[in-house]
Amino acid sequence: MNLRILLILFVSLHFCSCAVASPASDAAFAAYKAAGADNFSAERGKLAWVSEVVNKDGEKHSCTTCHGPDPKKFGMHATTKKVIEPMAANVNPERFTDLKKIEKWFKRNCEWTWGRECTAQEKGDILKFLSVSN
């Protein structure tokens, strides 16, 4: 009987679309809410992830340019060709565990990709998308 319950629990957890949270990601969401953002949406985050923008250098970029369309897979930086670990928190437990790193990479990548800083809403939506990607 106990083995059956454990098996059901294992299968349920394996296939669930649970969000992966950390104290740092929780702090990031709180900071974005304090900045006026709210109701974070994984769907909007996914749209932001794939949307192409012509940046200030006249180049078309999206998050997928370097990270690829599937955040569960490895990416490669478009310029340096450096391999980028998966962004999905459920695949890469190192993601979103340090608030300073979350903010550093949002600042750097939003500037490079979109030619501007991301808004608090955009950051929250993208973080939500990456936290529930499975």
Side-chain angles (χ1 to χ4, degrees):
M1 182 73 155
N2 287 338
L3 181 58
R4 183 175 169 190
I5 292 170
L6 286 173
L7 181 60
I8 291 169
L9 179 61
F10 173 76
V11 170
S12 297
L13 290 173
H14 180 71
F15 290 105
C16 103
S17 61
C18 303
V20 178
S22 72
S25 62
D26 290 344
F29 285 126
Y32 305 149
K33 282 185 178 186
D38 204 1
N39 297 320
F40 302 115
S41 163
E43 292 80 24
R44 280 194 311 263
K46 183 176 183 177
L47 287 174
W49 184 260
V50 300
S51 70
E52 274 194 336
V53 176
V54 178
N55 71 7
K56 62 186 173 193
D57 298 326
E59 301 168 329
K60 275 188 178 177
H61 290 170
S62 74
C63 301
T64 64
T65 302
C66 296
H67 295 286
D70 186 349
K72 296 181 300 297
K73 296 185 178 176
F74 286 84
M76 182 179 292
H77 192 278
T79 305
T80 66
K81 305 301 182 206
K82 180 181 174 187
V83 173
I84 301 170
E85 296 285 326
M87 294 299 296
N90 65 343
V91 174
N92 185 351
E94 297 299 312
R95 290 290 179 211
F96 317 121
T97 57
D98 182 321
L99 183 58
K100 286 179 81 171
K101 283 185 180 179
I102 292 171
E103 288 304 309
K104 168 189 169 182
W105 287 109
F106 266 132
K107 181 169 176 41
R108 186 176 292 177
N109 288 336
C110 291
E111 289 278 345
W112 186 84
T113 304
W114 295 344
R116 62 174 176 79
E117 285 193 43
C118 289
T119 66
Q121 187 69 52
E122 289 166 334
K123 289 191 253 185
D125 291 342
I126 293 169
L127 185 57
K128 178 82 164 189
F129 166 64
L130 296 173
S131 297
V132 300
S133 293
N134 62 1

